[in-house]
Amino acid sequence: MAVTDEAIEKIKGMIVSGTLRPGDRLPRESELAAELGLSRNSLREAVRALALIRILDVRQGDGTYVTSLDPQLLLEALSFVVDFHRDDTVLEFLVVRRILEPAATAMAASRIGEEELDALAAQLDALGPEPSVEELVAADLEFHRGIVGACGNSVLCSLLDGLSGPTTRARVWRGLTQEDAVSRTLQEHRAILAALRDRDAEAARAWATVHVASVEQWLRTTL
């Protein structure tokens, strides 16, 4: 094991064991290196790596702290990684989204408030019947983010938020090239919203599946 990897594992072990808790300040570099049997250089590299993935927070002039370890914070790294996707993997991202998003939508059916539903309806009304593709895709991201945010599971919410980026371009291309894409998207949004208002989790799940699958099906025919 490379010395930096060893240093990462040892710091991770301290956090997992509870020796270091969220918000705790790490001991001074010289003390921690001696305690873990590491060189200061390898410890420094490990701290940099863990700061990149939001495990540690390096505050200049103050010290290094364990972050809140909140799932949304930790999964920011996922968004960074998926930005490097290749075009030929977009379909795989859509498949994962088709598995996860209907489940989150079904979970939201019993949790989402009337005010949140009214806000989603107002958003759809504001788009009008013939929005531009760019307006529709931006609204689509916000629409689903609002629903998933009400599912009651911060990990699932963060995962889906991280996965939405790679499929954005596919949705734009679909809107530009498929004749009825805009009207179908608006219709599917209305159907999802109606199912949520009815507190019908299975109908919400079904319409969310149809919605994501329609983009996936279109992409399969164009690849």
Side-chain angles (χ1 to χ4, degrees), residues 45-187:
E45 291 297 322
V47 167
R48 287 196 190 102
L50 291 169
L52 282 172
I53 58 173
R54 305 293 195 269
I55 301 294
L56 298 179
D57 178 21
V58 179
R59 304 175 191 174
Q60 293 298 325
D62 186 15
T64 300
Y65 292 79
V66 180
T67 66
S68 65
L69 303 180
D70 181 79
Q72 188 169 2
L73 179 68
L74 297 181
L75 287 168
E76 282 181 9
L78 173 65
S79 298
F80 179 79
V81 171
V82 299
D83 281 341
F84 292 97
H85 75 280
R86 304 184 311 273
D87 286 347
D88 59 354
T89 62
V90 173
L91 193 57
E92 294 181 9
F93 281 108
L94 277 167
V95 170
V96 175
R97 188 175 164 223
R98 176 166 51 81
I99 293 168
L100 297 179
E101 190 158 307
T105 305
M107 291 165 66
S110 63
R111 294 177 172 87
I112 194 166
E114 288 297 327
E115 289 185 4
E116 294 167 290
L117 291 170
D118 290 343
L120 291 172
Q123 181 190 76
L124 289 177
D125 291 340
L127 273 177
E130 296 181 359
S132 70
V133 172
E134 291 77 9
E135 288 173 334
L136 180 65
V137 170
D140 182 76
L141 288 169
E142 289 305 311
F143 180 80
H144 294 291
R145 187 175 286 123
I147 293 171
V148 170
C151 77
N153 187 307
S154 60
V155 174
L156 183 55
C157 183
S158 297
L159 280 171
L160 282 166
D161 200 44
L163 290 169
S164 64
T167 62
T168 299
R169 186 162 61 176
R171 280 176 276 178
V172 171
W173 275 110
R174 181 195 178 213
L176 292 172
T177 59
Q178 191 175 40
E179 185 177 347
D180 63 343
V182 172
S183 61
R184 281 184 60 184
T185 297
L186 291 172
Q187 179 185 359

